[in-house]
Amino acid sequence: MANNASNADNANNASNAEYAGNTDNAIVQPVRGTRGATDPGPRNVALDLQNPDILMPPDTDNGSIPNLKFPFAMAHNRLEDGGWAREVTVRELPIAKSMAGVNMRLDAGVVRELHWHKEAEWAYILQGNVRLTVVDSDYSVVVDDLKPGDVWLIPTGIPHSIQGLEGGCEFLLVFDDGNFSENETLLITEFMAHTPPSVLAKNFGIDAEHFANIPKSEKYIFRQPVPEPLDVVLQQLPDRPPALAYTWHASEHAPAHYEGGSVKTIDSRDFPATTLSALIIELEPGGLRELHWHPDADEWQYYLEGEARMTVFDATSKARTFNFQAGDVGFVPRTMGHYIENIGTTTMRVINVFNSKHCTDISLNQWMALTPPALVQGHLDLDDVAMASLRRDRRPVVPGTPPDKD
Ligand code: MN
Ligand code: MN
């Protein structure tokens, strides 16, 4: 792990022999050439090894960019009967005011209670199989089964439930407000429990005694039998699909392939109901999500696999580099320049979620390629090779040399 990161860091760290020569038993030291000094401790070596670009920032880092990383591994985990849920919100990652995320596991049959909330909810299935139910304000009916790589979008205020199928499931939820809390949604049990029984009786036109056994408090996550197959359940309900589907079986659609990796775009062009958009980015070892920014959206990241680093650039010469592993959350505020680099020896995968319907970006390379060449050269004093490297076609990921394998 340490070797991978250290080797990839060599490009801007040529003289950090102590770290570059690190072995599994050695201890990484905050020394870069003639700068820095060893850390005699106390120190948390495991975290230092995971975050070499925090311990020894590239020389190009500068100024005070706020923290842009929070691992789900450090988020309070709410353990329930047959499942768990943890969240990274503005309380964990204060810069992320526009979006929050929840990572949830439901064992076979286990239900996330019928509920609603004021935030829109985007979901990505990580593992297993899951059933979603939705009823919207047109009284459209949705019951759908999703598998890894599929997504849904629940609009603001629309009631829904989630249930693990055979083998259980794990998924990621992203909400369009950083203030969201998974622990503060509106629940069917609590709505009923906090309505006078006489009103419940009048509302449903039956005696109050029929509501004597309703739960006094939330169920939230609770065990149920694995539900009947989808076609059986659909026969119990009216055939009344919504005008725009709330699920998108993205797993059935191929990504766009490039030298160095691939990108799957999930936005309102294919999934018209969605108000949040996403890229699923896969980088081969050494591959780079090219330098770019997003003109109209913040980027909420969830790392699925591998090891990455990202530098985020803002006005007044501010730049800060972060390292990421599977299960970490990253965030890029709107308009800030950034790249993502695979610094490991295996495939790196990350989800980027944007608080806009369409994925848009500005590529540094394409911008330069579509600007009068003399003007670009006059700014940057580039030689002919650099000018010839500019390209007008979209290539969101580019290849690179993977770190040396031992
Ligand atoms: Mn929800
Ligand atoms: Mn981006």
Side-chain angles (χ1 to χ4, degrees):
M1 194 83 75
N3 283 338
N4 300 346
S6 66
N7 288 328
D9 200 43
N10 281 348
N12 55 24
N13 188 27
S15 54
N16 190 356
E18 200 157 2
Y19 184 41
N22 200 22
T23 70
D24 286 345
N25 296 323
I27 293 178
V28 57
Q29 294 293 354
V31 177
R32 190 184 286 292
T34 58
R35 302 172 63 206
T38 57
D39 180 355
R43 57 187 302 202
N44 187 327
V45 174
L47 280 180
D48 284 345
L49 288 170
Q50 284 199 353
N51 299 281
D53 291 292
I54 298 286
L55 184 72
M56 301 175 297
D59 291 337
T60 42
D61 276 17
N62 187 56
S64 53
I65 294 268
N67 179 46
L68 300 174
K69 170 181 177 174
F70 197 94
F72 266 111
M74 290 184 66
H76 169 73
N77 204 4
R78 184 170 171 189
L79 305 186
E80 297 288 325
D81 189 21
W84 48 257
R86 50 190 175 175
E87 62 187 13
V88 175
T89 72
V90 74
R91 293 168 289 280
E92 287 76 27
L93 185 58
I95 189 75
K97 293 181 175 64
S98 56
M99 285 174 277
V102 168
N103 178 207
M104 190 179 297
R105 166 97 167 119
L106 300 175
D107 226 334
V110 173
V111 173
R112 166 62 170 95
E113 181 178 343
L114 285 159
H115 72 286
W116 69 101
H117 33 75
K118 66 179 185 293
E119 302 82 2
E121 171 183 311
W122 183 92
Y124 181 91
I125 312 308
L126 298 167
Q127 304 284 343
N129 294 288
V130 58
R131 179 165 298 172
L132 176 74
T133 76
V134 185
V135 174
D136 70 11
S137 58
D138 294 327
Y139 299 98
S140 307
V141 174
V142 175
V143 184
D144 198 7
D145 291 351
L146 298 98
K147 56 184 180 297
D150 292 345
V151 303
W152 71 62
L153 188 287
I154 310 296
T156 172
I158 298 302
H160 53 286
S161 72
I162 311 167
Q163 187 169 20
L165 298 175
E166 203 62 62
C169 61
E170 183 183 350
F171 49 88
L172 175 75
L173 305 175
V174 179
F175 300 86
D176 62 358
D177 185 342
N179 234 329
F180 174 84
S181 175
E182 175 62 18
N183 306 312
E184 297 177 9
T185 64
L186 293 88
L187 302 168
I188 192 170
T189 52
E190 293 187 338
F191 193 22
M192 303 278 279
H194 294 281
T195 300
S198 63
V199 173
L200 285 179
K202 188 178 290 182
N203 187 72
F204 291 97
I206 54 177
D207 289 341
E209 68 192 44
H210 297 292
F211 299 100
N213 296 325
I214 63 170
K216 298 283 182 282
S217 60
E218 66 173 4
K219 285 198 162 178
Y220 182 54
I221 287 174
F222 60 102
R223 291 185 198 275
Q224 287 285 281
V226 173
E228 293 289 303
L230 186 58
D231 54 343
V232 174
V233 171
L234 286 172
Q235 282 168 17
Q236 302 163 357
L237 295 165
D239 181 17
R240 200 183 286 161
L244 300 176
Y246 296 120
T247 58
W248 172 247
H249 293 258
S251 65
E252 296 164 12
H253 299 266
H257 290 277
Y258 304 90
E259 204 187 338
S262 69
V263 178
K264 183 181 288 189
T265 303
I266 303 172
D267 71 9
S268 60
R269 283 167 281 203
D270 291 318
F271 180 24
T274 200
T275 51
L276 295 166
S277 55
L279 300 177
I280 316 297
I281 299 168
E282 187 168 308
L283 296 178
E284 293 159 12
L288 185 75
R289 169 72 174 105
E290 65 160 5
L291 288 159
H292 68 283
W293 68 92
H294 304 280
D296 64 349
D298 294 336
E299 173 176 320
W300 198 95
Q301 304 174 334
Y302 179 75
Y303 286 82
L304 293 164
E305 184 182 345
E307 291 179 70
R309 72 169 180 173
M310 170 175 76
T311 301
V312 173
F313 162 75
D314 194 12
T316 64
S317 292
K318 292 195 281 262
R320 187 171 169 193
T321 306
F322 297 84
N323 300 102
F324 298 95
Q325 284 83 24
D328 290 347
V329 172
F331 190 81
V332 185
R334 192 173 95 159
T335 71
M336 291 193 193
H338 56 287
Y339 66 85
I340 301 171
E341 182 181 22
N342 182 350
I343 59 169
T345 55
T346 58
T347 299
M348 194 287 301
R349 290 196 303 136
V350 60
I351 303 176
N352 293 173
V353 182
F354 305 96
N355 56 339
S356 65
K357 293 157 70 96
H358 278 67
C359 291
T360 59
D361 62 30
I362 302 292
S363 152
L364 173 65
N365 192 324
Q366 278 183 277
W367 173 39
M368 291 166 67
L370 296 167
T371 298
L375 187 61
V376 172
Q377 207 153 16
H379 279 77
L380 297 168
D381 303 322
L382 297 177
D383 65 14
D384 292 346
V385 173
M387 290 304 294
S389 74
L390 303 183
R391 43 168 184 71
R392 296 174 176 181
D393 61 307
R394 177 168 170 77
R395 217 177 304 168
V397 306
V398 292
T401 308
D404 298 334
K405 294 188 179 75
D406 292 330

